[in-house]
Amino acid sequence: MPLLELKKACLNYGTQVLLDQVDLVVEKGQRLCLIGRNGAGKSSMLKVIAGDVALDDGSVWRMPELKIARLEQDLPEADDLSVYDAVALGLAETGKLLADYHRLVMEESSEQQLKQLGKLQQAIDACDGWSVQQRVETVISRLQLPMDKKMSELSGGWRRRVALARALVIDPDVLLLDEPTNHLDVLAIEWLEKQILDFQGAVIFITHDRSLLQAVATDIAELDRGHLRLWHGDYHSFLNFREQQLAEEERHNALFDKRLAEEEKWIRQGIKARRTRNEGRVRALKAMREERGQRRERQGTANITLATGDSSGKLVAELVNVNHGWQGISLINHFSTTVVRGDRIGLIGPNGIGKSTLLKIILGELTPNEGKVKLGTNLSVAYFDQLRDQLDLNKNAVDNVSEGRDSITIGGQSRHIMSYLNDFLFSGARARTPLRALSGGERNRVLLAKLFSKDSNLLVLDEPTNDLDVETLELLEEVLASYQGTVLLVSHDRSFLDNVVTSTIAFEGDGRVLEYVGGYGDWLRQGGRWPDLQDKEKPQTPSPVTAEVVQPAEAGKKQKKKLSYKFQRELDELPAKIEAAETLVESLEEECGAADFYQRDHDEVSQKLAALGEAQQQLEALYDRWGELEEMQE
């Protein structure tokens, strides 16, 4: 039975057609990836499915009491909410009760607070909130979130995890993910892959991450000029299917245009021909003209070019035995490297491990605690920041990129600003639309246009792939591969790294920073490894200059957390329950292992074996629950 269905869905934003008679059926267990050009309407389609945007025409059917959760592109606010509160509030009123209870438990208890705690406990009992609390804490634990930190203390990557936790905690039937990998490190992306694969409901997701797409999608839906191109299968097979579809479309359009030209030639014949012309043929020609006028041409490909300044010296930077850390935590330990002109270096590692710190050291913006740094000459740096802080969302693309100029010099040639923006797929109307009304991918294209319009010989790109469609990603790969300067790239996009970089600097934990030849796949093949899994519960403590880092806990300390009264009582009772379950299993195993057991009545044997299986499952569940409660205290 389908979970939801779109029938002849139509949606327009002004003159732009986003959905044109779209039909879609989503079933349980389906993992549907929605792809398409930036601005094609993918996020709007998710909002239609979620019920946040109404259709202009057509209908949306949802299964009664269907639970839908949506992870949006934009990061959650960096406010004073704790991580626990931010996640729990995804559960409406019950979540607010749990958030208030959690906050009071963490504070020193006064008589008034104890009374308030009692009232909250009663309210939580009344709505069966303790089972919900277990879900909140389990999701927080699995995402390794610092539950008592404020959102304002978290980097973009950690706030993205919080948003994902808020979506997962309601246990939805349909999970909508809009660019879920943005600001996540590779470890978290690989975890996300597993969560999507294990999710029992339906998942509809938008992503630029080709590795994730290939790994998890069971179905592909491409939104192209208002129409949905559906394919059951993985991404690689879809690419072949799409090429066939587009080739067939071009062939059909060519035949149509040839026939239209012949009919136009006929209608323009002399007086004698017009007197004897077939009125039915005239009406058919009129219909053909209307059909041709309504055809929406496929948008062209972006034509990204880089403004390259004077060459830097052959040496860009040299680091010798560099050490750097913060509050006793070693971020970089005895690292040496030489960056020369033309290098394309990728920096990989979990969020908060020190990649931005190393970038600042290489660029001379930060002096390391120990070691020697030598910078090259004639460096002209262009910097792409992952949060797009260089953009004014109240201005349009023209004003953001031009900075008051009518023309831009690229490769020694002067280009009008509108012509230049057209290369980045911004038409006249779109180029003058405030950035606040553009999609995340379109904003990223504006930032790339702004960045690439300036002379540079050293590109520093901090997660440039966020929100970009696949075609623009592939073009950006080509541009960077042919760039004559030096590239320092921080990215968690595995395919992008493999296609762009010539070497990789990997942060492998405990200050261990090593350089490898090649991209992400080459790093794995050469024995690269992430920080030890047993340490993943303790995110790194940051340097104050590392923008991407979060301080979830003080280094070296692992404090026991206080369980609620209900959970503590459950934990205290578990040993006795486990002992009783073990005794029952041993008894049943002994009985089923008797020599004459299988000579008994068939029904009796079946019942005993079923009882043994059930007892073993119950014992395993008790062990798992004991582990969960112990983890809550860690």
Side-chain angles (χ1 to χ4, degrees):
M1 180 179 176
L3 298 176
L4 61 90
E5 185 174 359
L6 298 183
K7 288 185 177 179
K8 298 188 180 305
C10 295
L11 182 66
N12 300 335
Y13 278 179
T15 60
Q16 185 181 12
V17 179
L18 300 182
L19 303 179
D20 184 5
Q21 301 285 317
V22 165
D23 293 324
L24 177 67
V25 176
V26 178
E27 298 181 345
K28 184 177 180 180
Q30 194 172 7
R31 298 190 296 273
L32 175 69
C33 184
L34 184 59
I35 65 175
R37 289 279 181 91
N38 293 137
K42 303 186 296 296
S43 296
S44 297
M45 186 171 172
L46 287 191
K47 292 175 182 177
V48 166
I49 291 171
D52 297 332
V53 169
L55 290 171
D56 296 328
D57 197 9
S59 63
V60 184
W61 176 86
R62 303 176 187 84
M63 185 180 71
E65 299 184 5
L66 184 73
K67 288 192 292 183
I68 298 177
R70 180 162 64 94
L71 175 68
E72 299 182 8
Q73 278 189 26
D74 294 332
L75 291 171
E77 291 293 327
D79 51 28
D80 289 333
L81 278 179
S82 72
V83 169
Y84 186 96
D85 292 353
V87 175
L89 289 177
L91 295 163
E93 290 302 318
T94 303
K96 188 177 184 308
L97 290 173
L98 291 172
D100 292 342
Y101 179 84
H102 178 78
R103 187 170 56 256
L104 285 175
V105 166
M106 292 296 105
E107 296 174 356
E108 292 185 12
S109 299
S110 64
E111 185 175 347
Q112 183 179 359
Q113 286 175 322
L114 288 174
K115 290 181 180 179
Q116 192 173 354
L117 272 175
K119 293 179 180 179
L120 285 171
Q121 283 180 327
Q122 291 178 359
I124 294 170
D125 281 331
C127 63
D128 192 26
W130 300 116
S131 61
V132 176
Q133 183 193 43
Q134 178 187 345
R135 197 188 316 156
V136 172
E137 294 183 348
T138 298
V139 169
I140 287 175
S141 175
R142 286 164 63 187
L143 272 174
Q144 298 108 47
L145 293 172
M147 69 167 64
D148 296 318
K149 282 292 177 181
K150 293 182 179 180
M151 294 291 287
S152 58
E153 299 177 74
L154 303 186
S155 68
W158 287 96
R159 279 155 55 202
R160 171 67 63 181
R161 286 194 183 204
V162 172
L164 181 59
R166 185 185 296 177
L168 291 173
V169 79
I170 71 170
D171 193 21
D173 302 302
V174 179
L175 183 59
L176 307 179
L177 305 175
D178 195 347
E179 298 287 5
T181 63
N182 284 359
H183 310 292
L184 290 184
D185 57 37
V186 178
L187 276 173
I189 292 172
E190 291 174 347
W191 177 89
L192 176 65
E193 285 182 4
K194 185 177 185 303
Q195 297 308 307
I196 294 176
L197 289 170
D198 292 343
F199 187 69
Q200 298 301 306
V203 182
I204 306 175
F205 65 103
I206 300 169
T207 187
H208 65 269
D209 191 312
R210 289 157 288 179
S211 298
L212 176 78
L213 198 167
Q214 175 64 21
V216 305
T218 60
D219 297 85
I220 310 288
E222 182 179 35
L223 189 57
D224 181 17
R225 293 163 287 172
H227 299 292
L228 211 58
R229 185 180 291 116
L230 296 170
W231 174 253
H232 179 66
D234 64 11
Y235 179 61
H236 290 160
S237 60
F238 166 77
L239 292 177
N240 294 328
F241 164 72
R242 181 175 63 180
E243 288 303 314
Q244 295 171 1
Q245 292 288 303
L246 291 176
E248 177 61 25
E249 179 184 333
E250 288 181 6
R251 189 186 68 82
H252 172 78
N253 288 343
L255 290 174
F256 181 92
D257 292 344
K258 180 180 179 181
R259 184 175 161 220
L260 177 60
E262 291 172 350
E263 293 299 295
E264 292 287 1
K265 182 179 179 181
W266 168 80
I267 200 66
R268 290 182 175 85
Q269 289 178 359
I271 298 295
K272 182 179 178 181
R274 288 200 295 271
R275 285 175 181 168
T276 59
R277 67 190 177 191
N278 186 312
E279 291 301 323
R281 190 172 177 181
V282 173
R283 287 193 296 272
L285 173 58
K286 183 178 179 182
M288 289 179 70
R289 286 172 173 170
E290 291 177 355
E291 182 179 346
R292 180 63 183 86
Q294 292 173 0
R295 182 193 299 173
R296 289 189 289 276
E297 299 290 351
R298 183 169 171 79
Q299 189 180 26
T301 302
N303 182 27
I304 298 176
T305 53
L306 269 167
T308 306
D310 295 334
S311 295
S312 66
K314 184 174 182 180
L315 176 70
V316 174
E318 182 180 18
L319 280 65
V320 179
N321 285 327
V322 166
N323 288 297
H324 197 76
W326 172 250
Q327 292 184 346
I329 298 297
S330 177
L331 297 175
I332 302 167
N333 186 18
H334 294 293
F335 177 63
S336 299
T337 188
T338 301
V339 181
V340 299
R341 183 177 63 237
D343 280 349
R344 299 191 300 276
I345 301 174
L347 281 72
I348 64 173
N351 285 332
I353 203 166
K355 299 187 295 296
S356 291
T357 299
L358 181 58
L359 275 182
K360 291 177 183 292
I361 291 174
I362 293 174
L363 297 176
E365 298 177 9
L366 175 67
T367 302
N369 296 341
E370 297 179 13
K372 178 183 176 183
V373 179
K374 180 181 179 182
L375 298 180
T377 58
N378 197 31
L379 293 179
S380 178
V381 181
Y383 186 85
F384 181 104
D385 72 287
Q386 60 172 300
L387 297 180
R388 310 187 192 105
D389 288 338
Q390 301 173 45
L391 298 179
D392 185 340
L393 299 185
N394 295 317
K395 294 181 179 179
N396 56 36
V398 172
D399 293 336
N400 268 282
V401 175
S402 70
E403 297 179 340
R405 297 172 291 176
D406 291 329
S407 60
I408 292 174
T409 301
I410 305 290
Q413 295 182 345
S414 180
R415 300 278 308 277
H416 190 274
I417 184 64
M418 293 303 298
S419 172
Y420 176 68
L421 285 174
N422 190 58
D423 288 346
F424 289 80
L425 303 182
F426 288 102
S427 62
R430 209 63 178 163
R432 299 195 180 280
T433 301
L435 263 57
R436 215 170 273 284
L438 300 184
S439 69
E442 288 175 305
R443 294 179 193 176
N444 255 19
R445 274 201 266 118
V446 173
L447 185 51
L448 287 174
K450 181 182 178 75
L451 182 73
F452 293 169
S453 69
K454 299 178 179 179
D455 290 343
S456 70
N457 52 40
L458 175 57
L459 273 178
V460 182
L461 305 174
D462 193 352
E463 297 192 35
T465 63
N466 289 346
D467 303 315
L468 292 181
D469 58 56
V470 173
E471 290 186 50
T472 306
L473 269 178
E474 292 172 348
L475 179 60
L476 181 58
E477 289 173 355
E478 294 177 13
V479 170
L480 293 178
S482 61
Y483 180 57
Q484 298 301 308
T486 306
V487 178
L488 299 177
L489 169 67
V490 176
S491 179
H492 303 300
D493 188 320
R494 294 157 288 179
S495 296
F496 191 76
L497 285 164
D498 284 338
N499 294 336
V500 170
V501 304
T502 56
S503 63
T504 298
I505 295 176
F507 289 72
E508 299 184 351
D510 297 324
R512 180 182 168 92
V513 182
L514 298 175
E515 189 167 9
Y516 296 81
V517 175
Y520 178 80
D522 298 305
W523 169 69
L524 289 177
R525 283 190 290 273
Q526 294 173 67
R529 61 178 181 82
W530 294 116
D532 291 337
L533 293 179
Q534 61 265 29
D535 295 332
K536 70 181 181 180
E537 295 291 334
K538 301 182 293 181
Q540 300 289 325
T541 303
S543 160
V545 298
T546 304
E548 63 182 350
V549 184
V550 61
Q551 295 181 6
E554 290 184 26
K557 294 183 179 180
K558 198 169 184 180
Q559 299 177 340
K560 286 276 186 177
K561 295 175 186 173
K562 184 178 179 181
L563 292 176
S564 66
Y565 172 75
K566 181 174 181 178
F567 283 151
Q568 186 60 53
R569 186 174 63 179
E570 182 182 359
L571 180 61
D572 293 341
E573 293 175 351
L574 272 176
K577 291 182 179 179
I578 289 174
E579 184 178 355
E582 287 175 338
T583 301
L584 176 59
V585 169
E586 289 175 4
S587 174
L588 289 170
E589 285 178 341
E590 183 177 350
E591 187 173 355
C592 294
D596 62 342
F597 176 71
Y598 289 98
Q599 297 174 4
R600 301 181 189 177
D601 182 72
H602 176 73
D603 290 341
E604 182 184 354
V605 169
S606 298
Q607 290 173 2
K608 287 293 182 183
L609 291 174
L612 175 59
E614 183 178 349
Q616 289 172 332
Q617 288 180 359
Q618 290 177 348
L619 179 59
E620 288 296 325
L622 289 171
Y623 280 138
D624 290 342
R625 183 58 178 154
W626 190 14
E628 289 174 1
L629 292 172
E630 287 286 349
E631 285 183 3
M632 289 181 190
Q633 289 186 304
E634 294 179 356

